[in-house]
Amino acid sequence: MAKSDKADELVFLPLGGSNEIGMNFNLYGFGPAHDRRWIVVDLGVTFGDQTTPGVEIILPDPEFIEEYADRVLGIVLTHAHEDHIGAVAWLWPRLKAPLYATPFTAFLLREKLREADLLDEVTIHEVPLGGTIELGPFSLELITLTHSIPEPNGLAIRTPLGTVLHTGDWKIDPDPLLGGVTDEGAIRRLGDAGVLAMVCDSTNVFVDGHAGSEAEVRATLIPLIAGLKGGVAVACFASNVARMDSIARAAVAAGRRVCLVGRSMIRMAAAARSVGLMEDLPPFIPDNEAKDFPPDKILYLCTGSQGEPRAALARIADGTHPFVKLGAGDHCIFSSRIIPGNEIPIRNLQNKLADRGVRLVTERDHPGIHVSGHPCRDELAEMYRWARPQISVPTHGERRHLLEHAAFARDLQVPQQVTPRNGDMVRLAPGRAEIVDEVPAGRLYVDAGVVTPENGDALKERRHAAYNGMIAVSVALDGRGRIVSGPQVRALGLPTHEDDPLEDVLDELAEEAEQALSKLKGDAREFDAEIETAISRAIRRASQRIWGRRPVVETTVLRL
Ligand SMILES: [Zn+2]
Ligand SMILES: [Zn+2]
């Protein structure tokens, strides 16, 4: 073994969150290449879209680190957003390391693990805000930041080869309403002592100025809600407890009680109360009791601002919610932004509400009813001034965000910038920071509750059938391969022309199947698989001629 292979190294390895937003899954490794100790920072999910029909949740593939699971010292969760903790219950059984989180995050983790029947197996270490975690060569200090959820933590990760500031998600909110302000002093002290690298949020790198404060949103919402007559619904992210608190206080000021509509609203309110937040507000009204209140005495706080089809607001818009109805003269406020990719479902949702006569209030026509939880350029510059890292490692963004962030750091005189893709292992020390290895960093799909590979057959077939339709052929043969009945052909999802009715097309296909069978000689007719392949191939060829498409073809041979 070469001498350098025995030297200690500090490496950073993003396995999710560094090509796209979501699915944060970061590894830090310390030790010689052949014997590293690892810590995991965050284990999040992202969500499926039109290109992944039937797949709601997408996980990072832990294949690489699974092999070294016995060297993973701990999994540290920075905050409770789904893109940071959503994969814990799915992937913990493959890593089996202890979890570390602050109380609010730990409450939600326990809920997830209980649902997955894992609560008894997993150790969750609850760490106080500003607390420390000792994990082998890694000595971690939690740094209180501000974001759009309670208890967002940055991590100062001290190692014998230097200190990394892993920011997690943050902004600089001078008045976050709940929780402390950004611990500028702690970050400056880190900077004074020397920060080797800063691994930092890139979400809003293209936005000038500041993200704005939750206090400004509250100041906008109070008069807005006070001025509305009739029914009022407000949609926001359930995890933004400060927002929930502001809306509830605006409701109180307008003489309205608050009804929480949607499971995650209720779960988040419980998590908030578990850490002493929102305790002085009047109790929330359960949705099945909302009808006891006149429309101008209640406010519905709803999930579903992103157009999620099963969320509360979608059901209200469809008129299928069992307890909550909105109609002419009522208002719906979207105290949220459009997450890229959700434009179409949100537009559909808003059109349905508008069709019912509901007046919409969105960020576009009423600025100030939402602020982002991520740092804009002035805030990024401020953070770089406080921490003064030697190396900038942009994360939490698409490729264009990461590259812009690196250019921005260069302009701020940060000596080195590295922009790894998921799976790129960055050696932070010793020597110049560089990508030294590339490891597998795929994605897994949760399909009908089953964890499957990204390009699994089930989704491929489903997508193929969705675009091209499907044809089923069945034929009954005797032991020597002579037709007893059929072939029978059925088509699903394929159009037929007026002049060429479906029965005729199906007859034509049956004819093709029969010919394919007749071409098989002797032995071949004894093997069902060979017959099925031959018939399917003939049907696909014929479909190409008829429709210009290659549908999914399923042939079944029955022996009588
Ligand atoms: Zn995030
Ligand atoms: Zn977040």
Side-chain angles (χ1 to χ4, degrees), residues 24 78-84 147-149 152 168-170 201 239 373-374 396:
N24 292 281
T78 58
H79 66 289
H81 275 148
E82 285 295 309
D83 61 324
H84 296 258
H147 182 37
S148 46
I149 191 167
D169 296 2
W170 62 281
D201 187 344
S239 55
H374 298 274
H396 208 286

Side-chain angles (χ1 to χ4, degrees), residues 28 37 108 167 187 231 256 311 352 359 400 429 431 438 535:
Y28 290 92
R37 295 293 174 270
L108 290 162
T167 66
I187 302 165
R256 295 173 186 261
K352 283 183 195 171
R359 303 286 297 272
R400 64 197 178 94
E438 195 183 315
I535 292 179

